Amino acid sequence: MKEHLTLEKNFINDFQQNFSIISKDDNDNLKKLRNEAIHNFEKSGFPNRNNELWRFTDVLKILHNSGRMVHPFSPPADINTPVQEIFKCDVNQLDTYDVATINGWFPNTIPQFQKVNQNCVIGSLKHAFSLFPEIIDKHFSKYAPIKDNPFIALNTSFVNDGIFAYFPDNARLEKPLQLVSLASQPEHSLMQQFIQPRNLIVVGKNANINLVICDHTLSPDSSFSNVVTEVFVDENSKVEITRLQNLNNKGTMVSSLFIHQEKNSKLTTNTITLNGGFTRNNLHIVLNGEFAEANIYGLYLMDRNQHVDNSTFIDHVCPETNSNELFKGILDEQASGVFRGRILVRKDAQKINSYQKNNTLLLTDETKMNTMPQLEIYADDVKCSHGATVGYLGANELFYLRSRGICEREARIMLMNSFAKEIIDKISIPALHDRITYLVSKRLRGELSYCASCVLNCRD
Amino acid sequence: MLKIQNLHASINGNEILKGLNFSVKAGEVHAIMGPNGSGKSTLASVLAGREIVEVTQGSILYKGINLLELSPENRSWEGIFLAFQYPVEIPGVSINNFLRTAVNEHRQYKKLEPLSAADFMKMMNEKKKVVDITSQLTSRSVNEGFSGGEKKRNEIFQMAMLEPELAILDETDSGLDIDALRVVANGVNKLKNKHNSFIVITHYQRLLDFIVPDFVHVLYKGQIVKSGGKELALELEEKGYDWLKN
């Protein structure tokens, strides 16, 4: 075994020693999948910086510094108190259906499943394994590959709970569904939690769904989250996913979102990283049917020693598919960032359009940004373009504002807000749009610390 | 109001202004003319405080204050306004938000309460009439996608909102057709009174038919080589600059 695998060994031992607890309610398929996944993880180990996909994001260092971590094999103690008491989402302008997990567990104080509108089901993934076996068989672990992807393999081998949402054909939600994932260090616990929520969202045909996914830390302690979310979007459906990440400065998150789109479906994702010590977002979209369209946006605002890495992969499997990608970010103090934009156009995927852009503003000389477009095109009748800029606030713009009597600090904030606005303006829900505008503006003024609760619930 | 003495200024080490002397009193309109590259825009930049221009020698006193010590925003609060030759586009910042911030910072400097939204809109509506600017235009982002004429009009509109004591118009006439020129010049004339002063930088006599200067100066190779009354502009129009170059 390679030397660096001592770290991995702990995870493998934890898996083996606790297998009976982890797999207690499993059917044979799931048991088999877990073993296969842990085997894959054992083969690859955690990625080091020789792995091209992790070249600028040293996750091994974080893992080493975290020491021995514990897996929450059972729900944390505070999960028995009503989740509303721990976490309140009382933003009156933003009316949502909301569900939360704590350290990856669905609370048992609320019904394990609720039905909203036309038989849409929202609830616990753990219970879905037994209650909705056909949906699980068809979709679980079908979009997030356990091969060559140690974090997915690890999440899959340890899978416990998370959020399961099923929207049948023609489903409409009157209000957005908000999925909140909370990381919380139990009291008197000295060891850091390694939490691995797993979410599965299945959207049928001709549906129209709006999702808000929030990731937060409840306590100021260190935490490591390895979240995997799979989303299936069937023909003619329209799905909008807004992700808000507001972790504390010691929070580490590897968040992987896999979206599989069928014919004529339309997806819009917006990944907004407001705060967090170390954030890696994997976003993998498969355009698996003609006329499928994906609009992928992101905004990251980092300072101090924070690190953010948005690694995106858009797979144009079918002809006449479209993707449009724009990530923007502002790095301050010693923050560092990575953007990787892989676009694959397969051999028969003719007449596709694919646009990609990444713009980063650096506020100091000590910030670092690595941006890497990666286009692989095997079809010959395609329109693809990409562009990246890394630069400072425009001297001409600053001078223009200052010459009108707007002081330098205010002028800088104004320009940063306008820079971020392009991304925020892609959010279609007006209340959410306004809320995020407000939060980003607060963040840029340095007035937003991580909240003890959801960012949407941040005390004004 | 303004006294410039022996001003030397460089951009990236190239000396552009080479010992410029020039004074403006309250209520006066001064035109500065001169061939390309003579230093007209550099002078405008120095007055507004653009960092790229480095003053190596000389002094500028404005209302008795050492202007060179003030930041650009401080100069603005003290009543200096530069109408840009190339107004900057600022996508994502609405004119409303931009001007409201600017007006309120000016008010804060004067220890006045910020304007309420209603009072601000009232002020906007009054000042819009000065340059016939439409609400359609002011609801957009600052200068974004504006035509050349709209940008210049927007500069004069901002000037009307900020009520400067010393306004510098840097080639405000460039790129304007005759109708737009008339609108812009009329705007300036409406704002002119015996307390404020204008420095009008231009290549052409044409603008001076509408904004009549008290003095005309010729800037050449970083110095003022000739000064006179408004008739000097006509003479320049007729003879060009060559006769002054020796």
Side-chain angles (χ1 to χ4, degrees):
Chain A
M1 192 176 278
K2 282 179 249 166
E3 197 190 335
H4 81 267
L5 288 183
T6 48
L7 178 71
E8 285 79 352
K9 216 172 163 187
N10 288 333
F11 285 88
I12 295 159
N13 285 343
D14 287 340
F15 175 80
Q16 286 164 347
Q17 281 161 18
N18 296 285
F19 187 74
S20 58
I21 305 171
I22 302 170
S23 64
K24 186 165 52 121
D25 303 318
D26 283 7
N27 61 21
D28 291 346
N29 285 347
L30 188 52
K31 267 197 186 112
K32 208 177 128 210
L33 181 66
R34 286 185 199 278
N35 281 313
E36 199 183 329
I38 201 76
H39 182 68
N40 282 345
F41 172 73
E42 189 173 0
K43 264 200 305 197
S44 62
F46 283 115
N48 62 25
R49 295 182 63 190
N50 294 329
N51 180 331
E52 177 57 31
L53 295 173
W54 295 84
R55 206 166 115 206
F56 299 105
T57 294
D58 196 352
V59 71
L60 260 190
K61 192 171 144 193
I62 298 271
L63 285 160
H64 276 294
N65 292 344
S66 300
R68 190 86 165 83
M69 288 186 273
V70 286
H71 304 268
F73 290 121
S74 54
D78 48 8
I79 204 148
N80 295 320
T81 55
V83 80
Q84 288 82 352
E85 272 177 33
I86 305 165
F87 162 79
K88 291 193 184 97
C89 199
D90 56 1
V91 180
N92 48 15
Q93 317 93 302
L94 190 68
D95 191 12
T96 59
Y97 302 106
D98 47 309
V99 281
T101 57
I102 301 174
N103 293 350
W105 288 91
F106 197 86
N108 52 18
T109 48
I110 60 169
Q112 293 304 296
F113 285 99
Q114 45 178 316
K115 274 194 179 178
V116 294
N117 260 20
Q118 306 163 325
N119 298 326
C120 302
V121 175
I122 302 160
S124 148
L125 178 70
K126 186 171 184 60
H127 288 77
F129 282 120
S130 52
L131 283 171
F132 302 98
E134 305 85 27
I135 300 172
I136 294 289
D137 275 353
K138 203 168 163 199
H139 298 288
F140 179 74
S141 193
K142 294 294 184 289
Y143 314 114
I146 54 171
K147 202 165 167 275
D148 300 325
N149 202 331
F151 282 98
I152 307 301
L154 199 59
N155 180 290
T156 306
S157 57
F158 279 87
V159 63
N160 273 322
D161 203 357
I163 290 164
F164 170 85
Y166 174 71
F167 304 98
D169 293 353
N170 307 310
R172 294 275 183 286
L173 280 189
E174 283 156 9
K175 41 192 186 179
L177 168 64
Q178 191 183 357
L179 313 178
V180 184
S181 168
L182 304 165
S184 170
Q185 179 86 353
E187 273 181 67
H188 314 301
S189 166
L190 295 173
M191 277 153 85
Q192 193 178 316
Q193 301 269 311
F194 188 85
I195 68 171
Q196 305 203 74
R198 177 73 175 230
N199 306 313
L200 175 64
I201 292 151
V202 177
V203 180
K205 298 186 172 89
N206 306 309
N208 190 343
I209 304 298
N210 225 312
L211 293 174
V212 182
I213 302 179
C214 303
D215 291 289
H216 305 284
T217 35
L218 275 181
S219 53
D221 313 275
S222 306
S223 60
F224 197 117
S225 309
N226 174 29
V227 196
V228 177
T229 303
E230 291 177 285
V231 181
F232 173 80
V233 184
D234 211 340
E235 288 176 16
N236 302 317
S237 281
K238 203 176 151 196
V239 174
E240 181 173 334
I241 301 175
T242 307
R243 287 202 287 174
L244 271 177
Q245 302 174 326
N246 196 23
L247 270 68
N248 67 30
N249 298 322
K250 292 185 195 162
T252 297
M253 182 163 64
V254 177
S255 171
S256 307
L257 178 57
F258 289 83
I259 302 172
H260 184 98
Q261 286 183 249
E262 290 296 349
K263 194 174 163 182
N264 212 20
S265 61
K266 188 180 172 186
L267 169 80
T268 301
T269 65
N270 210 324
T271 304
I272 295 172
T273 313
L274 285 172
N275 204 54
F278 181 102
T279 307
R280 161 72 176 235
N281 290 315
N282 299 311
L283 181 54
H284 187 137
I285 293 168
V286 179
L287 296 166
N288 195 47
E290 286 179 355
F291 309 109
E293 174 188 324
N295 299 293
I296 309 110
Y297 308 113
L299 177 68
Y300 41 97
L301 310 170
M302 315 317 284
D303 59 13
R304 285 164 278 199
N305 290 311
Q306 297 174 353
H307 178 79
V308 63
D309 177 342
N310 283 295
S311 285
T312 66
F313 177 15
I314 298 159
D315 188 349
H316 287 264
V317 176
C318 288
E320 312 240 29
T321 49
N322 295 307
S323 69
N324 180 19
E325 186 173 14
L326 174 63
F327 274 75
K328 292 178 99 171
I330 303 176
L331 304 180
D332 198 358
E333 297 174 318
Q334 292 86 37
S336 52
V338 179
F339 173 79
R340 182 186 301 277
R342 182 173 173 210
I343 293 170
L344 172 62
V345 181
R346 299 203 185 234
K347 199 172 127 243
D348 298 319
Q350 302 293 1
K351 298 197 179 349
I352 66 106
N353 290 295
S354 180
Y355 303 101
Q356 180 192 91
K357 222 163 78 175
N358 174 229
N359 307 119
T360 306
L361 270 182
L362 306 180
L363 301 186
T364 72
D365 291 336
E366 295 170 275
T367 51
K368 247 188 241 160
M369 181 70 201
N370 283 295
T371 176
M372 289 152 288
Q374 191 185 342
L375 276 62
E376 291 170 49
I377 302 168
Y378 300 103
D380 51 19
D381 182 14
V382 303
K383 273 188 203 152
C384 283
S385 74
H386 67 89
T389 63
V390 178
Y392 298 101
L393 279 175
N396 285 335
E397 288 82 353
L398 262 182
F399 176 65
Y400 190 74
L401 294 173
R402 293 177 72 191
S403 78
R404 297 320 185 223
I406 297 172
C407 69
E408 189 179 357
R409 179 182 139 83
E410 217 39 59
R412 293 173 75 91
I413 289 171
M414 216 176 228
L415 291 178
M416 289 191 275
N417 272 314
S418 73
F419 178 82
K421 189 174 184 290
E422 190 181 0
I423 299 293
I424 302 170
D425 282 352
K426 310 290 187 192
I427 298 170
S428 74
I429 309 166
L432 186 62
H433 172 273
D434 295 351
R435 190 69 193 160
I436 290 178
T437 301
Y438 169 80
L439 289 170
V440 165
S441 164
K442 251 187 115 164
R443 173 74 171 106
L444 293 173
R445 284 178 183 279
E447 292 165 4
L448 181 78
S449 60
Y450 83 93
C451 296
S453 179
C454 167
V455 282
L456 294 171
N457 183 37
C458 141
R459 307 284 181 269
D460 294 10
Chain B
M1 175 178 276
L2 181 74
K3 192 166 189 190
I4 303 178
Q5 281 183 308
N6 189 32
L7 185 71
H8 291 255
S10 332
I11 297 178
N12 299 327
N14 298 324
E15 189 169 64
I16 314 274
L17 299 180
K18 301 167 181 172
L20 185 126
N21 294 293
F22 174 55
S23 292
V24 177
K25 292 197 179 72
E28 291 178 350
V29 176
H30 289 249
I32 295 184
M33 304 183 75
N36 289 331
S38 58
K40 301 188 299 292
S41 285
T42 303
L43 175 62
S45 293
V46 171
L47 290 171
R50 199 189 277 270
E51 272 167 25
I52 192 169
V53 188
E54 192 195 351
V55 173
T56 51
Q57 215 184 317
S59 67
I60 305 177
L61 280 182
Y62 167 70
K63 300 196 298 190
I65 320 165
N66 177 3
L67 188 69
L68 297 175
E69 282 184 353
L70 301 184
S71 67
E73 53 268 36
N74 213 325
R75 295 178 197 210
S76 172
W77 302 331
E78 283 291 345
I80 287 185
F81 182 89
L82 170 65
F84 282 56
Q85 182 180 1
Y86 303 109
V88 181
E89 296 195 12
I90 309 187
V93 175
S94 71
I95 292 187
N96 274 334
N97 182 21
F98 161 64
L99 277 176
R100 196 163 171 210
T101 309
V103 166
N104 281 334
E105 287 218 28
H106 276 250
R107 289 179 66 88
Q108 191 185 6
Y109 186 72
K110 296 187 183 103
K111 301 202 161 45
L112 297 170
E113 288 291 306
L115 279 185
S116 69
D119 286 343
F120 175 75
M121 286 322 290
K122 210 173 126 195
M123 182 182 182
M124 287 274 282
N125 288 333
E126 271 168 35
K127 304 292 184 181
K128 275 178 198 163
K129 291 178 197 146
V130 175
V131 279
D132 284 338
I133 204 163
T134 59
S135 299
Q136 208 184 357
L137 205 63
T138 57
S139 65
R140 284 163 57 181
S141 289
V142 179
N143 294 324
E144 191 188 24
F146 285 24
S147 70
E150 286 169 336
K151 281 183 182 169
K152 296 298 173 80
R153 215 183 270 207
N154 188 24
E155 293 293 289
I156 305 304
F157 173 59
Q158 291 170 39
M159 186 166 99
M161 290 292 289
L162 298 174
E163 300 173 337
E165 291 169 64
L166 175 64
I168 303 127
L169 310 185
D170 188 5
E171 298 200 22
T172 298
D173 52 339
S174 68
L176 293 187
D177 61 37
I178 195 75
D179 293 328
L181 185 70
R182 198 173 280 134
V183 172
V184 165
N186 281 341
V188 172
N189 288 330
K190 281 182 210 162
L191 298 172
K192 204 168 80 176
N193 62 45
K194 62 179 189 292
H195 304 294
N196 58 19
S197 314
F198 289 84
I199 297 173
V200 181
I201 295 171
T202 180
H203 273 291
Y204 306 105
Q205 137 73 18
R206 196 174 70 151
L207 177 66
L208 304 178
D209 286 340
F210 298 104
I211 305 173
V212 182
D214 300 301
F215 302 95
V216 175
H217 310 274
V218 178
L219 188 59
Y220 180 63
K221 287 192 174 167
Q223 290 185 326
I224 287 182
V225 294
K226 191 162 181 68
S227 297
K230 62 182 180 213
E231 64 288 346
L232 178 57
L234 291 167
E235 205 176 341
L236 290 168
E237 183 81 359
E238 201 178 304
K239 296 190 192 167
Y241 292 110
D242 281 348
W243 61 288
L244 289 167
K245 284 184 180 173
N246 300 308

